[in-house]
Amino acid sequence: MRIAKYREDGLLSRRGWLVVVLAITLAWVATAPVLQAGRPDQDPIILIPGETVYVEVIQNTITTQPGFSWSDSGLSDRFHKFSQALEDAFEAREVPLKIKVVRWGSRIPKGATTATLTLMRWDRNRSGEIETRVAAQLKKAGSKINLGVFVGTDNVVTASSSMAERSYQASAVKAASRFADRMNEQINF
């Protein structure tokens, strides 16, 4: 008897709960498009041919597997090898931008256009290929856009340290070439 009375006199009956759930669902469905529409899209960043772009390189990689056996395989060497890959890629793709590759944290002139590259992987992947994985973000005049993740792989079986170095460099050039192509899309001709 008490249970039946509680159901009748309770805060909400089954129908009441159903009405509340339906009202919340309808309110959510009705406001979702408005919330999406109110969210600003990323501002397009247009680059001008001949413009100087500072490319900041953030190195988040460590060597975990054998094969990365350059004579000086420290951070300094990786930075210079990757800088060379970027310069080669921009030259080969004939991207009409002047790039200055700098380490992350270096002083860059105020108001300069900056592309930040985060080197996420530069080592062997699970398939045994040498993989370079880079995430990129472009900043100019207070606007910033994510350019994406660029991957380059080289699946040469390495027998010597010189072959390993060439494979690492080849994978870096492939990733840098994809980045250069994406930067070319940002240029207003």
Side-chain angles (χ1 to χ4, degrees):
M1 182 111 155
R2 280 189 160 168
I3 295 173
K5 186 176 182 186
Y6 178 74
R7 279 191 182 162
E8 292 172 7
D9 297 336
L11 293 174
L12 292 174
S13 63
R14 285 187 188 174
R15 264 193 212 142
W17 280 109
L18 182 63
V19 169
V20 168
V21 169
L22 283 173
I24 291 172
T25 304
L26 285 174
W28 180 74
V29 169
T31 58
V34 173
L35 293 175
Q36 281 291 347
R39 203 153 144 206
D41 291 334
Q42 290 182 340
D43 296 333
I45 295 179
I46 306 297
L47 300 175
I48 302 163
E51 183 175 355
T52 300
V53 177
Y54 288 84
V55 180
E56 284 184 306
V57 177
I58 302 173
Q59 300 181 67
N60 284 339
T61 60
I62 57 170
T63 304
T64 57
Q65 298 183 14
F68 199 40
S69 57
W70 296 336
S71 58
D72 175 23
S73 61
L75 291 176
S76 178
D77 191 45
R78 282 187 281 173
F79 172 77
H80 291 295
K81 295 288 185 181
F82 192 69
S83 300
Q84 187 62 44
L86 282 168
E87 290 166 3
D88 292 347
F90 272 73
E91 186 178 319
R93 301 290 191 194
E94 297 178 352
V95 179
L97 295 172
K98 296 175 191 166
I99 64 165
K100 292 190 178 182
V101 184
V102 297
R103 292 181 194 275
W104 184 71
S106 299
R107 291 187 182 204
I108 296 174
K110 203 168 197 164
T113 303
T114 308
T116 304
L117 296 181
T118 304
L119 187 58
M120 300 182 325
R121 179 176 196 85
W122 197 7
D123 207 351
R124 292 188 187 275
N125 61 16
R126 291 181 180 175
S127 301
E129 302 169 323
I130 295 176
E131 177 181 299
T132 304
R133 183 177 298 266
V134 179
Q137 185 179 60
L138 182 64
K139 295 178 226 165
K140 181 178 181 178
S143 296
K144 70 179 173 181
I145 59 170
N146 290 323
L147 298 176
V149 176
F150 305 97
V151 180
T153 58
D154 191 50
N155 57 3
V156 175
V157 176
T158 56
S160 67
S161 63
S162 63
M163 285 178 67
E165 185 174 343
R166 283 194 296 264
S167 294
Y168 276 91
Q169 197 65 17
S171 72
V173 168
K174 288 177 185 177
S177 295
R178 290 185 175 109
F179 170 67
D181 290 341
R182 180 65 176 90
M183 288 293 283
N184 214 5
E185 292 173 7
Q186 294 296 125
I187 297 174
N188 184 16
F189 287 105

